[in-house]
Amino acid sequence: QVQLVESEGGLVQPGGSLRLSCASSESIASINAMGWYRQAPGKERELVATITSYGSTNYVDSVKGRFTISRDNAKNTVYLQMNSLKPEDTAVYYCNARSLRRGLWYFEWGQGTQVTVSS
């Protein structure tokens, strides 16, 4: 079972920046894709960004040009660099791993971390 541990989020002012990290217990090179989701109060969980084992990335339109997902295979860690933060980015952010094991797809999650954008 893949275990994911996220760094702490925090409080940041609008226009500020924050970097989240997600450390995997397994080699991220063996995980088909990793990503970040977020869930704001009263809203459904949404996919923010993904990165595949070979490096392809995708972003939800609302964060394009502001957020960057990256990986460090040597550290088994995925990052989410968040710039030009807006109050609407406030949410609990969850790291995710998607893996194919024994012919079945699995989704595994980090513990979630609160990011609050407010003045």
Side-chain angles (χ1 to χ4, degrees):
Q1 182 178 346
V2 177
Q3 295 178 326
L4 304 173
V5 179
E6 301 175 30
S7 62
E8 290 192 52
L11 174 64
V12 61
Q13 294 185 351
S17 297
L18 191 67
R19 189 181 75 163
L20 302 178
S21 65
C22 174
S24 172
S25 64
E26 306 291 336
S27 171
I28 61 173
S30 66
I31 298 172
N32 297 84
M34 298 191 70
W36 291 91
Y37 288 72
R38 67 186 180 186
Q39 187 165 21
K43 297 183 179 180
E44 295 184 346
R45 183 181 60 188
E46 68 170 345
L47 178 64
V48 177
T50 60
I51 185 166
T52 69
S53 61
Y54 52 91
S56 296
T57 59
N58 285 284
Y59 301 90
V60 67
D61 286 345
S62 61
V63 308
K64 288 181 178 177
R66 299 189 299 120
F67 289 13
T68 303
I69 188 170
S70 62
R71 66 181 185 182
D72 186 335
N73 286 359
K75 297 180 179 179
N76 290 327
T77 299
V78 173
Y79 302 93
L80 185 67
Q81 178 67 47
M82 303 181 290
N83 298 326
S84 302
L85 283 162
K86 304 174 181 179
E88 49 263 47
D89 295 317
T90 296
V92 177
Y93 284 72
Y94 297 91
C95 182
N96 164 262
R98 186 173 76 239
S99 304
L100 180 63
R101 301 194 297 271
R102 303 181 187 91
L104 298 175
W105 287 99
Y106 290 83
F107 282 83
E108 289 155 316
W109 300 92
Q111 76 275 19
T113 187
Q114 177 71 45
V115 174
T116 302
V117 184
S118 176
S119 59

